[in-house]
Amino acid sequence: MVYPGAMHTRFEHSLGVMHVASRMFDALLRRSRDVLCSSDYGFNDASLERQRRIIRLAALLHDLGHGPFSHAAEELLPLKPDGSDRYEHEDYSAAALKYCLDDLFENHRESQANGIRVRDILEIFETPARSAGVLVWKDLVSGQMDADRMDYLLRDTHHAGVQYGRYDLDRVIYTLRLCPDPESEGHHIGVEEDGVHAVEGLLIARFMMFTQLYFHKTRTIYDYHLVECLKSLLESAEGKFPPPAEIGDFLEWDDWKVLGLISEGRAGNHGEILRFRKHHRMVYSTAEVVKDKEISMVEELAANLEPHGCVVRDAEKSWYKSGSEEIKVWRTSGRIERSVPLQTLSPVVAGLIKVNQRRLYVPESSRKTAEAVLRYRAEK
């Protein structure tokens, strides 16, 4: 609806993630085979080849649990039985693996020959990991420098026709190595010190893609309209998707089904908005980083515009996680070698600030009235 060339699918992305994860795995073997074959992990040539297959499968299947139109649908996932939290798409990925592929893995000749089962793939997604041999690979498919992120930034950049998401993938992969983690007494995937600037490029690319593409003022309001469509289409009283226990019913909700129902005029007012591109218009936006005082002001403005159908869209995004999830760098200084957090070497990463931008939208028919209200408030 905003970037006409961005018609690429989650399937081709998944193929790309599998390819990037394979390259990362091979790079780690070149630099850190001695660590992997040590008594800490106990891998050998045969078990490493089996592990490579498992990683490739985990990367290929990591997004099976996404609902129609991906992340836009996640707020319509139901609460867990204890009410503590909402299910995540990873819960559905695990359920889909068991539902769709368990029998295939049990009976396929290559799976039998390599002793690979669905549970081996699921272990890569589980938190916490069951063993050190599994934990060491988790960063490949779920981390701040994982194959998923490395693929979608370049792929989305290419198809959307922008340049924001470009970074040096080859250099990042070339400098990968296992770095010891003093807290866990294990290892995490990090980089040599020569790769710091390449990783900075990756993190900056993610920052730029989010602010310029993923949180584009028009693209993000279409998420709102799509969610409202789905609420009206879902058959449950709460307007939620079926839980993972009903994975067969959940998997019926794909892009094609939703688009068909919208084209048939069965998605209510928001379905018509999507069909005829009559999306809500933005009438106010803050800067990318705002203080609490301005957030309170935006909330007051939204209340003033509520009679005119105001919708608030906000960006809550942190660009780098410190602590146990931070990227490690293997630093050599003279005869001293040690693993240090990326942010201690990179002023760029240390300076990345959480984005908390707010935008106000109103229906197209109310735009002029809303703008007049905002001018009146500004003059006061």
Side-chain angles (χ1 to χ4, degrees), residues 14-28 51-52 54-60 62 137 139-141 145-148 150-151 169 173 176 189:
S14 296
L15 292 176
V17 177
M18 180 176 69
H19 173 69
V20 173
S22 302
R23 291 188 61 189
M24 294 174 74
F25 187 97
D26 294 342
L28 287 169
Q51 190 63 53
R52 188 178 190 274
I54 292 172
I55 292 298
R56 282 172 57 80
L57 287 165
L60 178 67
H62 76 287
W137 303 117
D139 292 342
L140 284 176
V141 293
M145 197 173 57
D146 59 29
D148 179 38
M150 290 190 192
D151 179 83
L169 172 66
I173 291 178
L176 287 178
I189 295 172

PDB file of all heavy atoms in Angstrom, residues 14-28 51-52 54-60 62 137 139-141 145-148 150-151 169 173 176 189:
ATOM      1  N   SER A  14      12.197 -16.754   4.703  1.00  0.00           N
ATOM      2  CA  SER A  14      12.611 -17.937   5.469  1.00  0.00           C
ATOM      3  C   SER A  14      13.739 -18.692   4.774  1.00  0.00           C
ATOM      4  O   SER A  14      14.647 -19.205   5.425  1.00  0.00           O
ATOM      5  CB  SER A  14      11.405 -18.865   5.694  1.00  0.00           C
ATOM      6  OG  SER A  14      10.428 -18.224   6.483  1.00  0.00           O
ATOM      7  N   LEU A  15      13.678 -18.757   3.444  1.00  0.00           N
ATOM      8  CA  LEU A  15      14.791 -19.353   2.700  1.00  0.00           C
ATOM      9  C   LEU A  15      16.069 -18.552   2.930  1.00  0.00           C
ATOM     10  O   LEU A  15      17.159 -19.116   3.099  1.00  0.00           O
ATOM     11  CB  LEU A  15      14.469 -19.402   1.207  1.00  0.00           C
ATOM     12  CG  LEU A  15      13.361 -20.352   0.752  1.00  0.00           C
ATOM     13  CD1 LEU A  15      13.118 -20.184  -0.745  1.00  0.00           C
ATOM     14  CD2 LEU A  15      13.711 -21.797   1.064  1.00  0.00           C
ATOM     15  N   GLY A  16      15.939 -17.230   2.946  1.00  0.00           N
ATOM     16  CA  GLY A  16      17.098 -16.377   3.178  1.00  0.00           C
ATOM     17  C   GLY A  16      17.672 -16.554   4.567  1.00  0.00           C
ATOM     18  O   GLY A  16      18.898 -16.569   4.749  1.00  0.00           O
ATOM     19  N   VAL A  17      16.803 -16.684   5.567  1.00  0.00           N
ATOM     20  CA  VAL A  17      17.270 -16.892   6.940  1.00  0.00           C
ATOM     21  C   VAL A  17      18.032 -18.213   7.038  1.00  0.00           C
ATOM     22  O   VAL A  17      19.074 -18.297   7.691  1.00  0.00           O
ATOM     23  CB  VAL A  17      16.086 -16.867   7.929  1.00  0.00           C
ATOM     24  CG1 VAL A  17      16.565 -17.167   9.353  1.00  0.00           C
ATOM     25  CG2 VAL A  17      15.391 -15.511   7.903  1.00  0.00           C
ATOM     26  N   MET A  18      17.525 -19.244   6.370  1.00  0.00           N
ATOM     27  CA  MET A  18      18.226 -20.530   6.363  1.00  0.00           C
ATOM     28  C   MET A  18      19.616 -20.387   5.732  1.00  0.00           C
ATOM     29  O   MET A  18      20.611 -20.926   6.248  1.00  0.00           O
ATOM     30  CB  MET A  18      17.411 -21.573   5.600  1.00  0.00           C
ATOM     31  CG  MET A  18      18.060 -22.942   5.545  1.00  0.00           C
ATOM     32  SD  MET A  18      17.031 -24.207   4.735  1.00  0.00           S
ATOM     33  CE  MET A  18      17.063 -23.638   3.034  1.00  0.00           C
ATOM     34  N   HIS A  19      19.695 -19.637   4.649  1.00  0.00           N
ATOM     35  CA  HIS A  19      20.983 -19.444   3.971  1.00  0.00           C
ATOM     36  C   HIS A  19      21.963 -18.670   4.856  1.00  0.00           C
ATOM     37  O   HIS A  19      23.131 -19.065   5.006  1.00  0.00           O
ATOM     38  CB  HIS A  19      20.754 -18.695   2.656  1.00  0.00           C
ATOM     39  CG  HIS A  19      22.023 -18.287   1.964  1.00  0.00           C
ATOM     40  ND1 HIS A  19      22.872 -19.200   1.388  1.00  0.00           N
ATOM     41  CD2 HIS A  19      22.592 -17.064   1.768  1.00  0.00           C
ATOM     42  CE1 HIS A  19      23.917 -18.567   0.865  1.00  0.00           C
ATOM     43  NE2 HIS A  19      23.761 -17.267   1.089  1.00  0.00           N
ATOM     44  N   VAL A  20      21.496 -17.579   5.468  1.00  0.00           N
ATOM     45  CA  VAL A  20      22.376 -16.768   6.311  1.00  0.00           C
ATOM     46  C   VAL A  20      22.812 -17.562   7.543  1.00  0.00           C
ATOM     47  O   VAL A  20      23.979 -17.512   7.949  1.00  0.00           O
ATOM     48  CB  VAL A  20      21.679 -15.457   6.719  1.00  0.00           C
ATOM     49  CG1 VAL A  20      22.526 -14.692   7.736  1.00  0.00           C
ATOM     50  CG2 VAL A  20      21.429 -14.585   5.495  1.00  0.00           C
ATOM     51  N   ALA A  21      21.886 -18.305   8.159  1.00  0.00           N
ATOM     52  CA  ALA A  21      22.230 -19.126   9.326  1.00  0.00           C
ATOM     53  C   ALA A  21      23.285 -20.166   8.968  1.00  0.00           C
ATOM     54  O   ALA A  21      24.189 -20.453   9.769  1.00  0.00           O
ATOM     55  CB  ALA A  21      20.988 -19.807   9.886  1.00  0.00           C
ATOM     56  N   SER A  22      23.196 -20.719   7.765  1.00  0.00           N
ATOM     57  CA  SER A  22      24.188 -21.707   7.318  1.00  0.00           C
ATOM     58  C   SER A  22      25.568 -21.057   7.191  1.00  0.00           C
ATOM     59  O   SER A  22      26.582 -21.627   7.608  1.00  0.00           O
ATOM     60  CB  SER A  22      23.771 -22.298   5.969  1.00  0.00           C
ATOM     61  OG  SER A  22      22.489 -22.890   6.053  1.00  0.00           O
ATOM     62  N   ARG A  23      25.600 -19.862   6.626  1.00  0.00           N
ATOM     63  CA  ARG A  23      26.877 -19.147   6.495  1.00  0.00           C
ATOM     64  C   ARG A  23      27.453 -18.799   7.867  1.00  0.00           C
ATOM     65  O   ARG A  23      28.670 -18.895   8.077  1.00  0.00           O
ATOM     66  CB  ARG A  23      26.672 -17.873   5.673  1.00  0.00           C
ATOM     67  CG  ARG A  23      26.374 -18.087   4.205  1.00  0.00           C
ATOM     68  CD  ARG A  23      26.387 -16.755   3.459  1.00  0.00           C
ATOM     69  NE  ARG A  23      27.701 -16.113   3.541  1.00  0.00           N
ATOM     70  CZ  ARG A  23      27.931 -14.867   3.122  1.00  0.00           C
ATOM     71  NH1 ARG A  23      26.950 -14.139   2.597  1.00  0.00           N
ATOM     72  NH2 ARG A  23      29.142 -14.352   3.235  1.00  0.00           N
ATOM     73  N   MET A  24      26.610 -18.388   8.781  1.00  0.00           N
ATOM     74  CA  MET A  24      27.071 -18.062  10.130  1.00  0.00           C
ATOM     75  C   MET A  24      27.629 -19.303  10.822  1.00  0.00           C
ATOM     76  O   MET A  24      28.675 -19.256  11.471  1.00  0.00           O
ATOM     77  CB  MET A  24      25.918 -17.471  10.941  1.00  0.00           C
ATOM     78  CG  MET A  24      25.439 -16.122  10.442  1.00  0.00           C
ATOM     79  SD  MET A  24      23.953 -15.539  11.316  1.00  0.00           S
ATOM     80  CE  MET A  24      24.677 -15.064  12.904  1.00  0.00           C
ATOM     81  N   PHE A  25      26.913 -20.424  10.688  1.00  0.00           N
ATOM     82  CA  PHE A  25      27.362 -21.679  11.292  1.00  0.00           C
ATOM     83  C   PHE A  25      28.743 -22.060  10.757  1.00  0.00           C
ATOM     84  O   PHE A  25      29.655 -22.398  11.525  1.00  0.00           O
ATOM     85  CB  PHE A  25      26.340 -22.777  10.976  1.00  0.00           C
ATOM     86  CG  PHE A  25      26.595 -24.083  11.678  1.00  0.00           C
ATOM     87  CD1 PHE A  25      25.923 -24.392  12.847  1.00  0.00           C
ATOM     88  CD2 PHE A  25      27.502 -25.000  11.173  1.00  0.00           C
ATOM     89  CE1 PHE A  25      26.152 -25.599  13.508  1.00  0.00           C
ATOM     90  CE2 PHE A  25      27.742 -26.204  11.817  1.00  0.00           C
ATOM     91  CZ  PHE A  25      27.058 -26.502  12.989  1.00  0.00           C
ATOM     92  N   ASP A  26      28.899 -21.995   9.436  1.00  0.00           N
ATOM     93  CA  ASP A  26      30.180 -22.374   8.829  1.00  0.00           C
ATOM     94  C   ASP A  26      31.308 -21.445   9.281  1.00  0.00           C
ATOM     95  O   ASP A  26      32.438 -21.888   9.513  1.00  0.00           O
ATOM     96  CB  ASP A  26      30.061 -22.345   7.304  1.00  0.00           C
ATOM     97  CG  ASP A  26      29.098 -23.413   6.787  1.00  0.00           C
ATOM     98  OD1 ASP A  26      28.801 -24.361   7.535  1.00  0.00           O
ATOM     99  OD2 ASP A  26      28.627 -23.269   5.640  1.00  0.00           O
ATOM    100  N   ALA A  27      31.016 -20.146   9.424  1.00  0.00           N
ATOM    101  CA  ALA A  27      32.024 -19.194   9.873  1.00  0.00           C
ATOM    102  C   ALA A  27      32.463 -19.485  11.303  1.00  0.00           C
ATOM    103  O   ALA A  27      33.651 -19.397  11.638  1.00  0.00           O
ATOM    104  CB  ALA A  27      31.483 -17.769   9.768  1.00  0.00           C
ATOM    105  N   LEU A  28      31.512 -19.852  12.145  1.00  0.00           N
ATOM    106  CA  LEU A  28      31.834 -20.178  13.534  1.00  0.00           C
ATOM    107  C   LEU A  28      32.701 -21.429  13.620  1.00  0.00           C
ATOM    108  O   LEU A  28      33.610 -21.516  14.455  1.00  0.00           O
ATOM    109  CB  LEU A  28      30.551 -20.363  14.344  1.00  0.00           C
ATOM    110  CG  LEU A  28      29.784 -19.081  14.650  1.00  0.00           C
ATOM    111  CD1 LEU A  28      28.409 -19.409  15.210  1.00  0.00           C
ATOM    112  CD2 LEU A  28      30.556 -18.207  15.639  1.00  0.00           C
ATOM    113  N   GLN A  51      24.145 -31.078  13.620  1.00  0.00           N
ATOM    114  CA  GLN A  51      23.705 -29.817  14.205  1.00  0.00           C
ATOM    115  C   GLN A  51      23.487 -28.766  13.122  1.00  0.00           C
ATOM    116  O   GLN A  51      22.570 -27.948  13.207  1.00  0.00           O
ATOM    117  CB  GLN A  51      24.741 -29.315  15.207  1.00  0.00           C
ATOM    118  CG  GLN A  51      24.272 -28.140  16.061  1.00  0.00           C
ATOM    119  CD  GLN A  51      23.095 -28.490  16.957  1.00  0.00           C
ATOM    120  OE1 GLN A  51      23.154 -29.461  17.716  1.00  0.00           O
ATOM    121  NE2 GLN A  51      22.028 -27.724  16.859  1.00  0.00           N
ATOM    122  N   ARG A  52      24.299 -28.788  12.091  1.00  0.00           N
ATOM    123  CA  ARG A  52      24.117 -27.841  10.990  1.00  0.00           C
ATOM    124  C   ARG A  52      22.762 -28.047  10.320  1.00  0.00           C
ATOM    125  O   ARG A  52      22.067 -27.086   9.974  1.00  0.00           O
ATOM    126  CB  ARG A  52      25.241 -28.011   9.963  1.00  0.00           C
ATOM    127  CG  ARG A  52      25.255 -26.954   8.860  1.00  0.00           C
ATOM    128  CD  ARG A  52      26.441 -27.187   7.917  1.00  0.00           C
ATOM    129  NE  ARG A  52      26.625 -26.074   6.998  1.00  0.00           N
ATOM    130  CZ  ARG A  52      25.991 -25.950   5.821  1.00  0.00           C
ATOM    131  NH1 ARG A  52      25.120 -26.886   5.445  1.00  0.00           N
ATOM    132  NH2 ARG A  52      26.219 -24.907   5.040  1.00  0.00           N
ATOM    133  N   ILE A  54      20.087 -29.258  11.739  1.00  0.00           N
ATOM    134  CA  ILE A  54      19.060 -28.809  12.688  1.00  0.00           C
ATOM    135  C   ILE A  54      18.934 -27.282  12.645  1.00  0.00           C
ATOM    136  O   ILE A  54      17.821 -26.738  12.630  1.00  0.00           O
ATOM    137  CB  ILE A  54      19.391 -29.289  14.112  1.00  0.00           C
ATOM    138  CG1 ILE A  54      19.261 -30.811  14.200  1.00  0.00           C
ATOM    139  CG2 ILE A  54      18.486 -28.614  15.140  1.00  0.00           C
ATOM    140  CD1 ILE A  54      19.760 -31.404  15.502  1.00  0.00           C
ATOM    141  N   ILE A  55      20.069 -26.595  12.601  1.00  0.00           N
ATOM    142  CA  ILE A  55      20.057 -25.129  12.537  1.00  0.00           C
ATOM    143  C   ILE A  55      19.385 -24.658  11.250  1.00  0.00           C
ATOM    144  O   ILE A  55      18.574 -23.716  11.248  1.00  0.00           O
ATOM    145  CB  ILE A  55      21.488 -24.564  12.624  1.00  0.00           C
ATOM    146  CG1 ILE A  55      22.080 -24.810  14.014  1.00  0.00           C
ATOM    147  CG2 ILE A  55      21.504 -23.078  12.286  1.00  0.00           C
ATOM    148  CD1 ILE A  55      21.318 -24.128  15.131  1.00  0.00           C
ATOM    149  N   ARG A  56      19.680 -25.301  10.137  1.00  0.00           N
ATOM    150  CA  ARG A  56      19.066 -24.923   8.861  1.00  0.00           C
ATOM    151  C   ARG A  56      17.552 -25.111   8.917  1.00  0.00           C
ATOM    152  O   ARG A  56      16.785 -24.267   8.445  1.00  0.00           O
ATOM    153  CB  ARG A  56      19.670 -25.748   7.716  1.00  0.00           C
ATOM    154  CG  ARG A  56      21.045 -25.262   7.284  1.00  0.00           C
ATOM    155  CD  ARG A  56      21.694 -26.213   6.293  1.00  0.00           C
ATOM    156  NE  ARG A  56      20.896 -26.454   5.095  1.00  0.00           N
ATOM    157  CZ  ARG A  56      20.836 -25.623   4.050  1.00  0.00           C
ATOM    158  NH1 ARG A  56      21.515 -24.490   4.071  1.00  0.00           N
ATOM    159  NH2 ARG A  56      20.120 -25.929   2.986  1.00  0.00           N
ATOM    160  N   LEU A  57      17.109 -26.204   9.509  1.00  0.00           N
ATOM    161  CA  LEU A  57      15.673 -26.457   9.628  1.00  0.00           C
ATOM    162  C   LEU A  57      15.010 -25.451  10.567  1.00  0.00           C
ATOM    163  O   LEU A  57      13.924 -24.944  10.292  1.00  0.00           O
ATOM    164  CB  LEU A  57      15.435 -27.885  10.121  1.00  0.00           C
ATOM    165  CG  LEU A  57      15.705 -28.994   9.094  1.00  0.00           C
ATOM    166  CD1 LEU A  57      15.801 -30.349   9.790  1.00  0.00           C
ATOM    167  CD2 LEU A  57      14.612 -29.012   8.029  1.00  0.00           C
ATOM    168  N   ALA A  58      15.671 -25.147  11.687  1.00  0.00           N
ATOM    169  CA  ALA A  58      15.120 -24.175  12.632  1.00  0.00           C
ATOM    170  C   ALA A  58      14.990 -22.801  11.982  1.00  0.00           C
ATOM    171  O   ALA A  58      13.997 -22.093  12.173  1.00  0.00           O
ATOM    172  CB  ALA A  58      16.004 -24.091  13.881  1.00  0.00           C
ATOM    173  N   ALA A  59      15.995 -22.421  11.189  1.00  0.00           N
ATOM    174  CA  ALA A  59      15.949 -21.130  10.503  1.00  0.00           C
ATOM    175  C   ALA A  59      14.841 -21.112   9.452  1.00  0.00           C
ATOM    176  O   ALA A  59      14.108 -20.127   9.308  1.00  0.00           O
ATOM    177  CB  ALA A  59      17.301 -20.835   9.861  1.00  0.00           C
ATOM    178  N   LEU A  60      14.693 -22.189   8.717  1.00  0.00           N
ATOM    179  CA  LEU A  60      13.655 -22.267   7.686  1.00  0.00           C
ATOM    180  C   LEU A  60      12.252 -22.200   8.278  1.00  0.00           C
ATOM    181  O   LEU A  60      11.343 -21.582   7.712  1.00  0.00           O
ATOM    182  CB  LEU A  60      13.822 -23.569   6.897  1.00  0.00           C
ATOM    183  CG  LEU A  60      12.785 -23.847   5.809  1.00  0.00           C
ATOM    184  CD1 LEU A  60      12.916 -22.837   4.676  1.00  0.00           C
ATOM    185  CD2 LEU A  60      12.926 -25.271   5.279  1.00  0.00           C
ATOM    186  N   HIS A  62      11.321 -21.011  11.396  1.00  0.00           N
ATOM    187  CA  HIS A  62      11.202 -20.165  12.594  1.00  0.00           C
ATOM    188  C   HIS A  62       9.946 -19.304  12.602  1.00  0.00           C
ATOM    189  O   HIS A  62       9.482 -18.896  13.667  1.00  0.00           O
ATOM    190  CB  HIS A  62      12.439 -19.278  12.735  1.00  0.00           C
ATOM    191  CG  HIS A  62      12.474 -18.117  11.790  1.00  0.00           C
ATOM    192  ND1 HIS A  62      12.724 -18.250  10.445  1.00  0.00           N
ATOM    193  CD2 HIS A  62      12.282 -16.780  12.010  1.00  0.00           C
ATOM    194  CE1 HIS A  62      12.691 -17.056   9.869  1.00  0.00           C
ATOM    195  NE2 HIS A  62      12.425 -16.156  10.793  1.00  0.00           N
ATOM    196  N   TRP A 137      23.951 -22.309  20.138  1.00  0.00           N
ATOM    197  CA  TRP A 137      23.438 -22.026  18.795  1.00  0.00           C
ATOM    198  C   TRP A 137      22.219 -21.106  18.787  1.00  0.00           C
ATOM    199  O   TRP A 137      21.796 -20.663  17.713  1.00  0.00           O
ATOM    200  CB  TRP A 137      23.066 -23.336  18.094  1.00  0.00           C
ATOM    201  CG  TRP A 137      24.192 -24.305  17.991  1.00  0.00           C
ATOM    202  CD1 TRP A 137      24.280 -25.546  18.552  1.00  0.00           C
ATOM    203  CD2 TRP A 137      25.426 -24.106  17.270  1.00  0.00           C
ATOM    204  NE1 TRP A 137      25.477 -26.126  18.241  1.00  0.00           N
ATOM    205  CE2 TRP A 137      26.206 -25.271  17.449  1.00  0.00           C
ATOM    206  CE3 TRP A 137      25.934 -23.067  16.491  1.00  0.00           C
ATOM    207  CZ2 TRP A 137      27.458 -25.423  16.879  1.00  0.00           C
ATOM    208  CZ3 TRP A 137      27.187 -23.202  15.933  1.00  0.00           C
ATOM    209  CH2 TRP A 137      27.936 -24.379  16.128  1.00  0.00           C
ATOM    210  N   ASP A 139      21.692 -18.048  19.525  1.00  0.00           N
ATOM    211  CA  ASP A 139      21.897 -16.696  18.988  1.00  0.00           C
ATOM    212  C   ASP A 139      21.792 -16.655  17.468  1.00  0.00           C
ATOM    213  O   ASP A 139      21.585 -15.592  16.888  1.00  0.00           O
ATOM    214  CB  ASP A 139      23.263 -16.159  19.406  1.00  0.00           C
ATOM    215  CG  ASP A 139      23.354 -15.899  20.904  1.00  0.00           C
ATOM    216  OD1 ASP A 139      22.297 -15.813  21.549  1.00  0.00           O
ATOM    217  OD2 ASP A 139      24.480 -15.793  21.430  1.00  0.00           O
ATOM    218  N   LEU A 140      21.947 -17.802  16.808  1.00  0.00           N
ATOM    219  CA  LEU A 140      21.839 -17.825  15.350  1.00  0.00           C
ATOM    220  C   LEU A 140      20.428 -17.514  14.881  1.00  0.00           C
ATOM    221  O   LEU A 140      20.237 -16.925  13.812  1.00  0.00           O
ATOM    222  CB  LEU A 140      22.253 -19.202  14.804  1.00  0.00           C
ATOM    223  CG  LEU A 140      23.749 -19.532  14.764  1.00  0.00           C
ATOM    224  CD1 LEU A 140      23.942 -20.954  14.297  1.00  0.00           C
ATOM    225  CD2 LEU A 140      24.487 -18.567  13.857  1.00  0.00           C
ATOM    226  N   VAL A 141      19.421 -17.922  15.657  1.00  0.00           N
ATOM    227  CA  VAL A 141      18.022 -17.749  15.229  1.00  0.00           C
ATOM    228  C   VAL A 141      17.246 -16.809  16.129  1.00  0.00           C
ATOM    229  O   VAL A 141      16.111 -16.439  15.810  1.00  0.00           O
ATOM    230  CB  VAL A 141      17.299 -19.117  15.158  1.00  0.00           C
ATOM    231  CG1 VAL A 141      17.878 -19.977  14.045  1.00  0.00           C
ATOM    232  CG2 VAL A 141      17.359 -19.864  16.480  1.00  0.00           C
ATOM    233  N   MET A 145      21.908 -10.259  16.841  1.00  0.00           N
ATOM    234  CA  MET A 145      22.713 -10.376  15.622  1.00  0.00           C
ATOM    235  C   MET A 145      22.373 -11.716  14.973  1.00  0.00           C
ATOM    236  O   MET A 145      23.252 -12.486  14.600  1.00  0.00           O
ATOM    237  CB  MET A 145      24.200 -10.285  16.003  1.00  0.00           C
ATOM    238  CG  MET A 145      25.135  -9.995  14.867  1.00  0.00           C
ATOM    239  SD  MET A 145      26.834  -9.710  15.460  1.00  0.00           S
ATOM    240  CE  MET A 145      27.174 -11.240  16.341  1.00  0.00           C
ATOM    241  N   ASP A 146      21.062 -12.001  14.842  1.00  0.00           N
ATOM    242  CA  ASP A 146      20.657 -13.313  14.346  1.00  0.00           C
ATOM    243  C   ASP A 146      20.436 -13.307  12.831  1.00  0.00           C
ATOM    244  O   ASP A 146      20.397 -12.252  12.187  1.00  0.00           O
ATOM    245  CB  ASP A 146      19.408 -13.819  15.073  1.00  0.00           C
ATOM    246  CG  ASP A 146      18.210 -12.891  14.917  1.00  0.00           C
ATOM    247  OD1 ASP A 146      18.119 -12.194  13.891  1.00  0.00           O
ATOM    248  OD2 ASP A 146      17.359 -12.866  15.821  1.00  0.00           O
ATOM    249  N   ALA A 147      20.285 -14.499  12.265  1.00  0.00           N
ATOM    250  CA  ALA A 147      20.116 -14.639  10.816  1.00  0.00           C
ATOM    251  C   ALA A 147      18.810 -14.017  10.343  1.00  0.00           C
ATOM    252  O   ALA A 147      18.726 -13.517   9.215  1.00  0.00           O
ATOM    253  CB  ALA A 147      20.168 -16.121  10.442  1.00  0.00           C
ATOM    254  N   ASP A 148      17.786 -14.047  11.178  1.00  0.00           N
ATOM    255  CA  ASP A 148      16.492 -13.445  10.839  1.00  0.00           C
ATOM    256  C   ASP A 148      16.662 -11.953  10.556  1.00  0.00           C
ATOM    257  O   ASP A 148      16.249 -11.438   9.514  1.00  0.00           O
ATOM    258  CB  ASP A 148      15.523 -13.675  12.004  1.00  0.00           C
ATOM    259  CG  ASP A 148      14.161 -13.070  11.748  1.00  0.00           C
ATOM    260  OD1 ASP A 148      13.690 -13.124  10.604  1.00  0.00           O
ATOM    261  OD2 ASP A 148      13.549 -12.540  12.703  1.00  0.00           O
ATOM    262  N   MET A 150      19.467 -10.287  10.018  1.00  0.00           N
ATOM    263  CA  MET A 150      20.409 -10.022   8.933  1.00  0.00           C
ATOM    264  C   MET A 150      19.744 -10.167   7.566  1.00  0.00           C
ATOM    265  O   MET A 150      20.082  -9.448   6.624  1.00  0.00           O
ATOM    266  CB  MET A 150      21.601 -10.970   9.041  1.00  0.00           C
ATOM    267  CG  MET A 150      22.518 -10.680  10.212  1.00  0.00           C
ATOM    268  SD  MET A 150      24.028 -11.660  10.082  1.00  0.00           S
ATOM    269  CE  MET A 150      24.729 -11.415  11.708  1.00  0.00           C
ATOM    270  N   ASP A 151      18.797 -11.090   7.452  1.00  0.00           N
ATOM    271  CA  ASP A 151      18.125 -11.269   6.168  1.00  0.00           C
ATOM    272  C   ASP A 151      17.060 -10.210   5.932  1.00  0.00           C
ATOM    273  O   ASP A 151      17.026  -9.588   4.864  1.00  0.00           O
ATOM    274  CB  ASP A 151      17.477 -12.654   6.077  1.00  0.00           C
ATOM    275  CG  ASP A 151      16.760 -12.849   4.751  1.00  0.00           C
ATOM    276  OD1 ASP A 151      17.435 -13.193   3.771  1.00  0.00           O
ATOM    277  OD2 ASP A 151      15.535 -12.619   4.689  1.00  0.00           O
ATOM    278  N   LEU A 169      27.121  -7.415   5.315  1.00  0.00           N
ATOM    279  CA  LEU A 169      26.823  -8.775   5.777  1.00  0.00           C
ATOM    280  C   LEU A 169      28.067  -9.660   5.736  1.00  0.00           C
ATOM    281  O   LEU A 169      28.337 -10.411   6.679  1.00  0.00           O
ATOM    282  CB  LEU A 169      25.719  -9.388   4.903  1.00  0.00           C
ATOM    283  CG  LEU A 169      25.425 -10.879   5.123  1.00  0.00           C
ATOM    284  CD1 LEU A 169      24.846 -11.113   6.504  1.00  0.00           C
ATOM    285  CD2 LEU A 169      24.471 -11.409   4.052  1.00  0.00           C
ATOM    286  N   ILE A 173      29.749 -11.654   9.031  1.00  0.00           N
ATOM    287  CA  ILE A 173      29.893 -13.110   9.070  1.00  0.00           C
ATOM    288  C   ILE A 173      31.364 -13.514   9.166  1.00  0.00           C
ATOM    289  O   ILE A 173      31.728 -14.427   9.923  1.00  0.00           O
ATOM    290  CB  ILE A 173      29.217 -13.749   7.840  1.00  0.00           C
ATOM    291  CG1 ILE A 173      27.689 -13.592   7.946  1.00  0.00           C
ATOM    292  CG2 ILE A 173      29.598 -15.223   7.716  1.00  0.00           C
ATOM    293  CD1 ILE A 173      26.932 -14.144   6.763  1.00  0.00           C
ATOM    294  N   LEU A 176      32.718 -13.373  12.787  1.00  0.00           N
ATOM    295  CA  LEU A 176      32.008 -14.093  13.843  1.00  0.00           C
ATOM    296  C   LEU A 176      32.935 -15.051  14.581  1.00  0.00           C
ATOM    297  O   LEU A 176      33.824 -15.657  13.992  1.00  0.00           O
ATOM    298  CB  LEU A 176      30.845 -14.899  13.250  1.00  0.00           C
ATOM    299  CG  LEU A 176      29.607 -14.142  12.780  1.00  0.00           C
ATOM    300  CD1 LEU A 176      28.607 -15.113  12.178  1.00  0.00           C
ATOM    301  CD2 LEU A 176      28.961 -13.370  13.921  1.00  0.00           C
ATOM    302  N   ILE A 189      27.547 -16.128  20.672  1.00  0.00           N
ATOM    303  CA  ILE A 189      28.057 -15.725  19.368  1.00  0.00           C
ATOM    304  C   ILE A 189      28.372 -14.234  19.394  1.00  0.00           C
ATOM    305  O   ILE A 189      27.519 -13.405  19.711  1.00  0.00           O
ATOM    306  CB  ILE A 189      27.036 -16.051  18.261  1.00  0.00           C
ATOM    307  CG1 ILE A 189      26.863 -17.571  18.166  1.00  0.00           C
ATOM    308  CG2 ILE A 189      27.489 -15.477  16.917  1.00  0.00           C
ATOM    309  CD1 ILE A 189      25.752 -18.001  17.244  1.00  0.00           C
TER     310      ILE A 189
END
